[in-house]
Amino acid sequence: MLLGTQRINEAGHLCVGGCDCVDLAERFGTPLYVIDEALLRENCRTYKRAFGERLDSVEICYAGKALLCTAICRIMEQENLGLDVASAGELYTALKAAFPPSRIKLHGNFKSDLEIEMALDAGVGRLVIDSLSEIGRVNETAGRLGKRADVLIRVTPGIRVHTHHYVATGHVDSKFGLSLASSMAEEAVAQAMAAPNLVLQGFHCHIGSQIFGLESFARAAELMTSFMADMHRKHGLVSHELDMGGGLGIAYQDEDAPPTIKELSNVICSTLVKCLADHDLPMPKLILEPGRSIVGTPGLTLYRVGPVKEIPGVRTYVTVDGGLSDNPRPALYDAQYEATVANKAAQARSTVVRVAGKHCETDTLIPEIALQPVVEGDILAIFCTGAYNYAMASNYNRFPRPAMVLVHDGQAEVIVERESLEDLVRQDRIPPRLAK
Ligand code: LLP
């Protein structure tokens, strides 16, 4: 698996963005998140092109939950994407990076008063209403601040998609959104339209993540347009915007064959054009919220290999200097990854091993993989770790979170500093009675 600017150089080392991964590991330490800027930008542009070619009014809003830090916000701004945030922390990061508030959308199934106020105060473009009680709270806060809030209503279309059940969100039994089936979505429309400080711009749905089946997106588009028609008929609502969420899957393993962004665009756009025509409705602005399919493939993680234990007749364990804390996805979702020994990338893969982390847990990163002959001190690169790795990292076992570097044309720049041991105790307090 070689993606984006990844190459194998004359020394037989894995390179990315023109940087030798072995040098990166030496220079910045391990574990290290590495982001290929060229591939990241290419993914943004592919989305804009694929949807822009089909429809006049499209906005691609990067879902920041997949990976957010201030430098990533800067890149998204330069690429002219919008930004989806789902917490005060994500919003704060975007504002710190001077991301234009009007291109930010606030999500969340339980937005705190602080989050609502912060968003309205900053002038974020859209708030996505996720519950009936939120309508009153947003309306009241907007009134207090003397503002009108542009909102979308998150609708749960009620479809099951083929993905890990932890990341399926579009079915009826979901904590997210307001379901079509229970008519809560319609109730939300009536309430939002009656709220003096809200402007209902349209609807949102997100059916899940790491989805390969395009038919699920088509079905969601059908259900959403028929709901829009219904709301037009019953409430005279003209939906100016339709947000179809994110969710496109990526190839974590060589044998994975996800649809392309272009194929996603073809399915969503042609379904919308047809259904809207059937219902005699104008085309709203189409919004997409991709996370993983923008930032997943441009990321890789470099680890230093520790003890290699061969258990006779059982298997060989290759330990690396990270694990559950920098990538919880194998433990949470049985996520599968490809890897290579970065300093032996040109050699044959002659040994089958299990890659495990260094936590006090069975933190398997890759249950079974054919690798080059691997010994202590080698550098292991795990591919496609850009999405939901750093974003979901923890300090378990009081491991400092790794640094992140952006690589481009032979340059590597730190975009997130490695946490220090001091950082780990920074928030700790010793009550005087326990002091030494
Ligand atoms: N929009 C909304 C409202 C979302 O909840 C999500 C993801 C996205 C967009 C972006 O979805 P994507 O294009 O990245 O699939 N931690 C899990 C994934 C959770 C996804 C949560 N929502 C994982 O590591 O697989």
Side-chain angles (χ1 to χ4, degrees):
M1 167 178 283
L2 284 181
L3 297 158
T5 65
Q6 290 167 9
R7 306 277 179 272
I8 298 174
N9 68 12
E10 5 7 287
H13 294 180
L14 176 70
C15 293
V16 58
C19 299
D20 184 316
C21 287
V22 180
D23 293 344
L24 292 175
E26 286 296 330
R27 201 170 140 204
F28 299 102
T30 51
L32 182 70
Y33 297 116
V34 182
I35 305 290
D36 177 353
E37 182 175 345
L39 181 55
L40 177 61
R41 289 185 186 271
E42 187 184 315
N43 289 345
C44 296
R45 289 170 197 179
T46 304
Y47 259 103
K48 288 202 75 131
R49 206 179 319 114
F51 284 87
E53 273 169 5
R54 298 290 307 250
L55 299 176
D56 293 336
S57 184
V58 174
E59 188 179 359
I60 309 297
C61 267
Y62 167 64
K65 69 201 73 184
L67 169 65
L68 203 70
C69 62
T70 46
I72 296 290
C73 292
R74 296 301 316 137
I75 292 174
M76 295 304 156
E77 210 242 301
Q78 288 179 353
E79 292 301 324
N80 254 306
L81 265 59
L83 183 66
D84 231 321
V85 298
S87 69
E90 290 181 1
L91 176 56
Y92 187 77
T93 305
L95 298 175
K96 272 282 180 189
F99 195 92
S102 61
R103 279 160 45 194
I104 300 177
K105 215 157 6 95
L106 178 69
H107 270 287
N109 65 309
F110 174 15
K111 298 176 191 68
S112 69
D113 292 342
L114 168 83
E115 286 166 334
I116 293 171
E117 189 157 338
M118 200 173 150
L120 291 173
D121 222 25
V124 306
R126 299 285 177 272
L127 276 84
V128 184
I129 298 288
D130 201 286
S131 64
L132 292 175
S133 79
E134 199 174 289
I135 295 172
R137 292 202 295 131
V138 175
N139 182 54
E140 185 272 322
T141 311
R144 187 159 39 81
L145 298 177
K147 305 211 173 199
R148 295 193 83 203
D150 287 305
V151 301
L152 302 179
I153 289 174
R154 179 166 179 170
V155 172
T156 321
I159 46 181
R160 294 209 162 266
V161 294
H162 296 286
T163 184
H164 193 285
H165 64 282
Y166 283 6
V167 293
T169 50
H171 52 292
V172 173
D173 184 1
S174 165
K175 71 170 184 175
F176 296 104
L178 294 139
S179 77
L180 287 186
S182 67
S183 73
M184 270 159 74
E186 179 171 0
E187 177 59 28
V189 169
Q191 289 190 19
M193 287 182 79
N197 307 315
L198 301 190
V199 183
L200 178 54
Q201 296 286 1
F203 298 100
H204 168 278
C205 72
H206 171 75
I207 54 176
S209 198
Q210 186 58 7
I211 298 170
F212 281 22
L214 289 178
E215 67 288 348
S216 302
F217 291 102
R219 184 76 191 119
E222 283 167 13
L223 290 166
M224 292 303 287
T225 44
S226 104
F227 180 63
M228 281 159 56
D230 222 27
M231 293 305 99
H232 183 242
R233 220 175 18 252
K234 292 189 186 157
H235 300 274
L237 174 74
V238 179
S239 305
H240 300 294
E241 296 177 2
L242 175 62
D243 185 334
M244 292 297 299
L248 180 65
I250 62 168
Y252 283 101
Q253 293 192 288
D254 293 332
E255 61 267 32
D256 291 342
T260 62
I261 294 167
K262 176 103 182 126
E263 288 165 340
L264 176 76
S265 155
N266 287 342
V267 164
I268 292 183
C269 297
S270 50
T271 311
L272 285 180
V273 168
K274 179 183 178 305
C275 294
L276 290 163
D278 287 351
H279 293 296
D280 202 16
L281 286 178
M283 177 62 76
K285 172 177 171 181
L286 174 64
I287 306 171
L288 279 305
E289 298 172 345
R292 188 192 317 266
S293 50
I294 285 191
V295 89
T297 51
L300 61 85
T301 308
L302 299 178
Y303 299 95
R304 190 163 293 274
V305 172
V308 177
K309 281 186 197 160
E310 192 181 334
I311 308 175
V314 181
R315 71 172 80 250
T316 299
Y317 277 87
V318 170
T319 324
V320 296
D321 60 353
L324 185 65
S325 56
D326 60 77
N327 185 1
R329 300 193 67 259
L332 276 174
Y333 317 117
D334 279 327
Q336 306 290 320
Y337 287 92
E338 297 283 350
T340 192
V341 179
N343 52 314
K344 297 175 180 167
Q347 294 182 24
R349 292 171 181 259
S350 54
T351 164
V352 173
V353 301
R354 171 170 289 181
V355 179
K358 60 173 259 174
H359 285 276
C360 303
E361 277 289 322
T362 313
D363 64 336
T364 300
L365 282 173
I366 305 180
E368 196 167 86
I369 183 169
L371 281 181
Q372 298 88 351
V374 53
V375 296
E376 196 159 337
D378 283 342
I379 300 297
L380 187 80
I382 296 193
F383 296 107
C384 291
T385 58
Y388 305 109
N389 273 229
Y390 168 74
M392 296 177 78
S394 75
N395 290 124
Y396 181 44
N397 288 143
R398 289 238 148 175
F399 280 27
R401 266 180 277 243
M404 192 182 312
V405 295
L406 189 66
V407 292
H408 174 65
D409 276 349
Q411 273 189 26
E413 296 155 301
V414 173
I415 57 171
V416 179
E417 291 282 353
R418 183 177 303 282
E419 283 178 349
S420 66
L421 294 176
E422 192 50 37
D423 288 333
L424 295 173
V425 292
R426 197 174 305 285
Q427 307 295 104
D428 291 8
R429 300 290 177 266
I430 298 179
R433 68 187 178 81
L434 300 180
K436 191 161 159 58

